[in-house]
Amino acid sequence: MGRITARRRVTRIRRDAAPTQRADTLAVEEPLEIRVGGRQLSVTMRTPGNDFELVAGYLVSEGVITAGSDYSTARYCAGTDSTGANTYNVVDVSLAGHVPPPAPGIVRRNTMTSACGVCGKDSIESVHTRSAHDPAADTLTVDADTLLDLPDRLRAEQDVFDKTGGLHAAALFDADGELLVAREDVGRHNAVDKVVGWAVLADRLPLSGTVLQVSGRASFELVQKAAMAGIPMLSAVSAPSSLAADLADDLGITLIGFSRGESMVVYTRPDRITTDGADLPAAVTN
């Protein structure tokens, strides 16, 4: 397995003080080639670790699989460095016999960066992937105080961030705020794919009745990934984009932004959130 962190000598400069040198810890970023049945599907930049979950979650996001029974096996293959050692940067997945191979249209034409989960799509239309699950019909309700606690609960799980300060994180909670799984990665979309991939390997899709808490902002791609996994509620520490809010509205996903301990902003489907035992209105009026 590849390294998660790396050490580097750095120079630190402060006002009114002499520069100093020390060792610093960095989050590792390496390419991962994803293959299905021996054929390349995509290359993404990621932090090594939980790679099989990452690949499984990615296949859910792309609509290749919709349940744990669609996923057969995965293995590391090829990919060697100058010494002949395995780099663990190539994963080949075998799908169940009833699952057709990925359509040519979803093959990525270039490498996805750690900042982008939709890079390499051939058209605007191909960005929108239809989910086999319906988050709008989910009857989940969560107490507001429980939701406000989730960012701190997620932060407590960020072990590698504590060492590097350079990773995003995503975690899945149930309606009572119990942590189900948490994952870190240099890419926010990769962290979510690892969470969804955990559910695939545990045969827990769709993820009804759950809340996805993420560090950073809520982008269109994260809303789409939540929908593809059947997650009805997405909460982010920072702001959502306008397209993320529009998509969440269309799909019936509760979208929360600026969740920072004492307050949060609910952009869509506030009716799933209770405050002092009272339900919020079904929609926010302008």
Side-chain angles (χ1 to χ4, degrees), residues 49-60 65 67-68 71 170-174 178-183 190-208 210-212 229 231:
N50 306 110
D51 288 332
F52 291 172
E53 293 178 351
L54 170 59
V55 173
Y58 175 80
L59 294 177
V60 171
I65 62 176
Y71 187 94
L172 196 69
F173 296 89
D174 68 14
E178 291 299 316
L179 176 68
L180 301 177
V181 63
R183 295 290 183 261
N190 288 338
V192 171
D193 278 342
K194 288 178 178 181
V195 165
V196 174
W198 165 86
V200 172
L201 300 184
D203 199 15
R204 296 186 64 152
L205 290 184
L207 288 168
S208 306
T210 61
V211 182
L212 179 64
I231 299 171

Side-chain angles (χ1 to χ4, degrees), residues 76-175:
Y76 289 107
C77 60
T80 58
D81 61 19
S82 58
T83 67
N86 195 325
T87 61
Y88 296 98
N89 284 340
V90 182
V91 170
D92 193 6
V93 175
S94 296
L95 303 178
H98 65 275
V99 181
I106 72 168
V107 176
R108 297 297 172 91
R109 303 304 179 187
N110 57 283
T111 300
M112 292 186 294
T113 70
S114 55
C116 178
V118 295
C119 303
K121 289 283 193 177
D122 288 336
S123 66
I124 294 296
E125 290 75 16
S126 68
V127 169
H128 297 269
T129 306
R130 184 178 298 276
S131 177
H133 312 297
D134 182 15
D138 200 298
T139 58
L140 169 73
T141 59
V142 186
D143 184 77
D145 287 336
T146 297
L147 288 170
L148 288 169
D149 287 341
L150 298 189
D152 287 341
R153 298 281 306 284
L154 172 60
R155 181 65 184 84
E157 298 295 323
Q158 294 182 252
D159 295 336
V160 183
F161 181 87
D162 287 338
K163 300 174 183 177
T164 66
L167 290 184
H168 288 284
L172 196 69
F173 296 89
D174 68 14

Side-chain angles (χ1 to χ4, degrees), residues 35 80 208 224 232 245 265 272 284:
R35 298 178 184 176
T80 58
S208 306
Q224 179 168 278
V265 179
R272 289 195 175 107
V284 176

